[in-house]
Amino acid sequence: MPTVLVFAPAPILTVTIEEHRDEPDVHFHVGGQGVWQARMLTALGVDAVLVCTVAGEAGAITRHLLDDEGFRVVTIDREGVSPAYVHDRRGGKRVAIVEAQGEPLSRHALDALYSATLREAAEADLVILSGPDGETMLEADVYRRLASDMRELGLTVLVDLAGNRLEAALAGGVDVLKVSHEELVADGRVDDDGDDEQQLLDAAQSLVDDGVSLVAVTRASEGSIVVGGGGAWRVVAPELEPVDPRGAGDSYTAGLASVLAAGGSHAEAVRTGAAAGAVNATRRGLGTGDAEAIRAIARKVDLQQIGEGSDEGKAS
């Protein structure tokens, strides 16, 4: 069984208020990008290891909830305040009541987190570098160091980052990148009309030219596009009715990682990623999905070649 290491600096304690039989129904979960990725990896039968920090009272609850997730967790205790939010969905829409990003990692906590990541990397096949909410939890240069060190240790490096963190990781060395078209717009890699497919292709190709083996660009209103050494493809997946689109991008990332960690092809990875994102959006649990449903949908995902000079088989 392949092992995927997920670097998740600071998971979020989530408190969501629903309505059940005309009474408030309060749900406690642990979330954040890395947690949702590890959750989907586990659903897909991959051995996921999450390395993170926890702090304060919220962190104590976070640790307890992580223990029930089904993947292995390496936690670093630190002082301070953990990220948390309280959302009210009783009216049918998500209303934020409190959203706390938590306190930045201290030098000692970061050193301990980094060392734990290096230690766990020795047994992993692939690493996902995920980011915490907000910009202040840790400095971007950590991602440059991590990307460089993970590749030095022989791991495939997959990142799902944007902004300064993405730039830092790219400087360290990235094998696979999943990014949304909104993030490419925000980072200035494409113009404000980021739905222009040619602009997205050019931006992705530029990243490939700089050394990234595979770039997957997800689009909110349309299927993703992927660019790699063999060419470019438009990913056409079945249009399933979404219930909650949040977490679909992280599920896509996990689908990519699940195949690549096992030595699978880029084409299979993209199909699985697109299917995982689509299935997750039909569910209320972020980063959740039925593995058999995902595999069935993956067989329905079409990779349409864009441009000349290659065929779909070269997506591998």
Side-chain angles (χ1 to χ4, degrees):
M1 179 185 295
T3 298
V4 174
L5 171 61
V6 181
F7 176 77
I12 307 170
L13 175 63
T14 73
V15 183
T16 306
I17 307 169
E18 306 275 4
E19 188 164 328
H20 180 67
R21 297 178 182 174
D22 297 325
E23 292 291 335
D25 187 15
V26 182
H27 297 262
F28 296 86
H29 295 286
V30 60
Q33 187 182 48
V35 172
W36 298 324
Q37 291 162 350
R39 189 178 290 158
M40 178 56 78
L41 284 165
T42 302
L44 290 169
V46 175
D47 183 13
V49 181
L50 185 105
V51 181
C52 66
T53 68
V54 295
E57 292 185 6
I61 300 172
T62 295
R63 176 197 289 275
H64 174 74
L65 294 172
L66 283 171
D67 288 341
D68 294 333
E69 283 287 341
F71 48 79
R72 190 160 68 86
V73 183
V74 178
T75 53
I76 304 300
D77 288 303
R78 63 185 179 94
E79 296 182 353
V81 177
S82 279
Y85 71 62
V86 180
H87 287 177
D88 191 339
R89 291 203 307 192
R90 285 175 292 177
K93 293 184 178 180
R94 187 179 294 270
V95 178
I97 299 174
V98 173
E99 293 185 334
Q101 293 184 358
E103 290 183 302
L105 299 182
S106 69
R107 177 172 60 85
H108 296 296
L110 179 57
D111 285 348
L113 178 65
Y114 203 98
S115 293
T117 305
L118 292 175
R119 183 178 68 246
E120 296 300 325
E123 304 299 327
D125 301 290
L126 180 149
V127 61
I128 298 177
L129 300 183
S130 71
D133 281 5
E135 300 297 326
T136 62
M137 185 59 65
L138 73 172
E139 59 186 22
D141 192 60
V142 172
Y143 289 94
R144 179 194 60 78
R145 294 168 51 209
L146 272 174
S148 178
D149 287 346
M150 294 297 103
R151 294 184 95 190
E152 181 68 22
L153 293 172
L155 275 71
T156 297
V157 176
L158 190 164
V159 304
D160 188 352
L161 302 167
N164 292 335
R165 292 170 183 158
L166 173 57
E167 297 301 325
L170 290 171
V174 169
D175 297 295
V176 182
L177 167 64
K178 198 286 290 180
V179 66
S180 72
H181 85 268
E182 295 97 339
E183 290 167 338
L184 290 176
V185 171
D187 289 352
R189 292 183 179 270
V190 298
D191 294 339
D192 288 344
D193 55 344
D195 284 324
D196 184 314
E197 186 172 81
Q198 189 57 54
Q199 286 196 59
L200 297 176
L201 286 169
D202 291 344
Q205 185 61 57
S206 176
L207 289 161
V208 170
D209 292 342
D210 288 340
V212 182
S213 297
L214 181 70
V215 178
V217 181
T218 56
R219 299 181 287 181
S221 58
E222 302 178 61
S224 58
I225 61 172
V226 295
V227 178
W233 291 265
R234 186 180 300 109
V235 184
V236 181
E239 295 185 12
L240 306 180
E241 188 72 25
V243 172
D244 187 348
R246 294 191 332 133
D250 297 315
S251 295
Y252 192 120
T253 299
L256 290 172
S258 70
V259 174
L260 297 176
S265 69
H266 285 176
E268 181 189 358
V270 169
R271 289 190 179 97
T272 303
V279 170
N280 176 242
T282 69
R283 301 164 63 94
R284 298 187 187 279
L286 278 64
T288 66
D290 177 81
E292 292 306 312
I294 291 169
R295 294 188 180 101
I297 297 301
R299 292 192 289 270
K300 301 288 187 180
V301 175
D302 185 28
L303 301 187
Q304 298 178 348
Q305 180 188 342
I306 305 173
E308 301 296 332
S310 63
D311 55 36
E312 184 181 318
K314 291 185 180 178
S316 62

